[in-house]
């Protein structure tokens, strides 16, 4: 499948993405999925998360603001997703900086996520490398996290995506850099979190996790470039970015520099 | 009361609407109420929900992302609302698709909601009809849910509103179709949820639940038409829609086709 | 430090502000902090809130939608902040109108907040004066709350900010009125809540709490004036306001009328 074909398939199939995510970005995440053509849905309740994970096309587990109840729902969702062969994405928000989620992420990372998406500090912390992250911000360059990403990919059979000025997508076999100018996304909360959800939708719509992840990062970054050109500050950028997720032609992915390392 | 008079009254009286709603749309719901001229307020805490329901002008119970604690607060709010004769609105989000909320909704629907607002699949599931909903999306046409809406209306003495390409408002005696082009609202999360809150405000501001519900749906849809004409994609639409809730002249309701069935 | 110097310092140092805030405004608060140049981060989990409060530059405790678990996290964050000499800001949302948060606020107000920020009704209720607030709305004028603010300031050694058509900043020694036209902020949910977070960032970036609080209120109000001039309704205003938080020149604070009482 080509990169544009992944995005076309996403729009055509409108995959249902079950998001267990944080309260800060839930709205932006749902709107990003809707804009891109996917169908978001959320519940954080044990007793619902399991059944829902079985009917969804993909599941996102984002550790941004866990509650005790949401963590129990995540356990249930992951187990059900694995039983049903539903792909699930792990976004280890602020892992390394905050203790409860760090222990939790270290446990669930072994439960076969299809994709792990985070910033450099989060990926390094999750792999057990020394990182210097501060809350949700990365203090480490993407290049410094590629070895950690490779380790996670080999250990858990997952694709690992590391977000930064250029994004790295890493598997046990390959490393690809996706070059877009997404700097404005760092001025909007949930810029990375919604990318994790969008990648989940692309995985559901595509044929292999690696290609879908590259397609999601390339399209997302391209939409950010388009939105940045049409906005003055972070408020107008956020609205333009949602528009761009709906309006950017998937064929524009041909203009994104994809670098095989 | 005429339809424009309901909206004028809402702006004039600024009813306090206590929303127990989901974390995905809480922000958009509050902004929609503020834009329309109502006063939103939220708490999900037992011990607060009861007293607050007594002082509010209307209460919204939206089942989008229930937590154990929020469900307890909802119980308390409904009981207090009924004691104080405060009208309350039930939005059975994803009922039929998710088990815990389905059982919960089946219990509270008998506690005299003034209005039940959902999509066709949710209304059919709540009435015990066979539906094909998938999470928050309806897979059933509005027409297929009118009989279910009528049953709920007769059984519980409520008005029932079914959202779709055209909205149906059903009571034991009447069925009215409200024809507006609100398709863009399906590209913004909370498009339906905020309508439930806005209808609660209109019920508080009006004289009878049926007329207020029709007025709310007509005005909301008209605002969506206005916003769609001024926007390119879902991000700019959402901002324009909030503007339109504030700026649309209630007299424009005269141009909305209201069809008595 | 001059008022513009506080804002320049905030942009330069990008303080990490740990927000324990309500689910309605978490997204807008994070976006306001990002737009202004600060770094927001959130967790509501006991076991994380304490460690995080020690590494953050400032902590916000906003009582808008408390859960049992979030209240426990707030206890932990306040204790840790005080141990680490991290300044913390109390936003007593709807205190006086809702019972659980009122008792909670009356307890934690004695735990040395650097700043207490609320509307007139909330400040009066917190001081034990008779107020007429209704949920999150103030029914009392700012002038009527200055005596209550002074009492709180003297009793707890805090700066107290009272939001309204003009904002009052009160300490045991001084009272200053900040005159801007921020009326449009009352049409966007979280207009006040995000100001509390922004003030926390300014306190982290500045040298004394009083000056930083005045600078935050003046800059925030100035940004609101700029946004109002560029927008038609509350939806476009919200986007323009975030732009304005990023783009307003701190030197414009020279044009804001600051009145010493």
């Amino acid at each position: 499948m080509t990169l544009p074909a992944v995005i076309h398939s996403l729009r055509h199939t409108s995959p249902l993405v079950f998001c267990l995510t944080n309260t800060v970005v839930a709205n932006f995440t749902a709107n990003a999925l809707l804009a891109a053509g996917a169908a978001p849905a959320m519940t954080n309740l044990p007793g619902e998360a399991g059944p829902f994970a079985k009917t969804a096309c993909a599941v996102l587990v984002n550790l941004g603001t866990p509650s005790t109840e949401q963590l129990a729902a995540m356990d249930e969702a992951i187990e059900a997703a694995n039983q049903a062969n539903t792909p699930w994405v792990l976004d280890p928000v602020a892992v390394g900086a905050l203790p409860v989620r760090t222990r939790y992420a270290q446990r669930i990372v072994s439960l076969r996520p299809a994709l792990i998406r985070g910033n450099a500090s989060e990926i390094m912390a999750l792999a057990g490398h020394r990182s210097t992250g501060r809350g949700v911000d990365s203090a480490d360059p993407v290049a410094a996290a590629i070895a950690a990403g490779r380790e996670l990919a080999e250990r858990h059979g997952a694709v690992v995506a590391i977000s930064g000025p250029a994004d790295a997508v890493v598997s046990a076999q390959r490393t690809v850099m996706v070059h877009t100018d997404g700097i404005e996304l760092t001025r909007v909360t949930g810029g990375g979190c919604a990318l994790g959800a969008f990648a989940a939708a692309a995985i559901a719509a595509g044929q292999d996790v690696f290609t879908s992840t590259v397609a999601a990062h390339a399209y997302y970054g391209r939409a950010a470039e388009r939105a940045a050109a049409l906005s003055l500050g972070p408020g107008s950028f956020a609205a333009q970015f949602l528009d761009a997720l709906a309006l950017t032609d998937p064929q524009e992915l041909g203009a994104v520099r994809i670098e095989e390392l």
Side-chain angles (χ1 to χ4, degrees), chain A:
Chain A
M1 230 178 192
T2 65
L3 302 186
V6 172
I7 306 302
H8 281 299
S9 172
L10 192 165
R11 290 183 181 176
H12 186 66
T13 58
S14 192
L16 180 66
V17 182
F18 170 23
C19 303
L20 296 122
T21 190
N22 69 76
T23 53
V24 187
V25 308
N27 181 269
F28 185 70
T29 300
N31 278 334
L33 286 173
L34 284 169
M42 310 199 184
T43 180
N44 301 298
L45 197 60
E48 293 199 337
F52 206 28
K54 291 192 182 176
T55 60
C57 306
V59 175
L60 171 70
V61 174
N62 173 303
L63 298 178
T65 58
S67 67
T68 302
E69 192 159 86
Q70 193 194 39
L71 290 171
M74 287 172 172
D75 281 338
E76 196 180 291
I78 294 167
E79 185 179 350
N82 281 336
Q83 283 173 5
N85 283 318
T86 307
W88 71 277
V89 173
L90 171 60
D91 192 331
V93 181
V95 159
L98 292 171
V100 179
R101 67 190 67 191
T102 299
R103 289 191 298 274
Y104 185 76
Q106 283 163 346
R107 178 163 69 75
I108 64 171
V109 71
S110 66
L111 300 175
R112 292 181 282 133
L115 170 66
I116 304 165
R117 191 219 68 83
N119 65 35
S121 294
E122 291 158 353
I123 296 301
M124 292 168 75
L126 190 59
H129 291 215
R130 202 160 161 246
S131 72
T132 51
R134 177 186 82 150
V136 296
D137 295 333
S138 179
D140 301 289
V142 168
I146 288 178
R150 174 63 51 90
E151 279 180 37
L152 288 173
E154 290 174 346
R155 216 180 288 157
H156 304 295
V159 171
V160 178
I162 310 161
S163 300
D167 304 318
V169 180
V170 182
S171 73
Q173 290 80 35
R174 293 173 66 190
T175 298
V176 157
M177 300 298 298
V178 180
H179 294 273
T180 60
D181 179 4
I183 184 69
E184 275 300 311
L185 283 167
T186 63
R187 304 290 299 268
V188 177
T189 195
C193 296
L195 173 53
F198 180 57
I203 290 166
Q207 282 168 340
D208 76 284
V209 175
F210 194 91
T211 304
S212 289
T213 301
V214 172
H217 281 71
Y219 186 82
Y220 199 82
R222 187 71 177 173
E225 290 174 350
R226 178 188 177 118
L230 295 171
S231 57
L232 287 172
S236 49
F237 171 80
Q240 291 287 346
F241 178 65
L242 293 174
D243 282 6
L245 284 176
L247 300 173
T248 301
D249 187 336
Q251 298 308 126
E252 288 189 30
L253 295 188
V256 174
R257 185 157 76 92
I258 311 285
E259 179 191 10
E260 194 97 23
L261 291 196

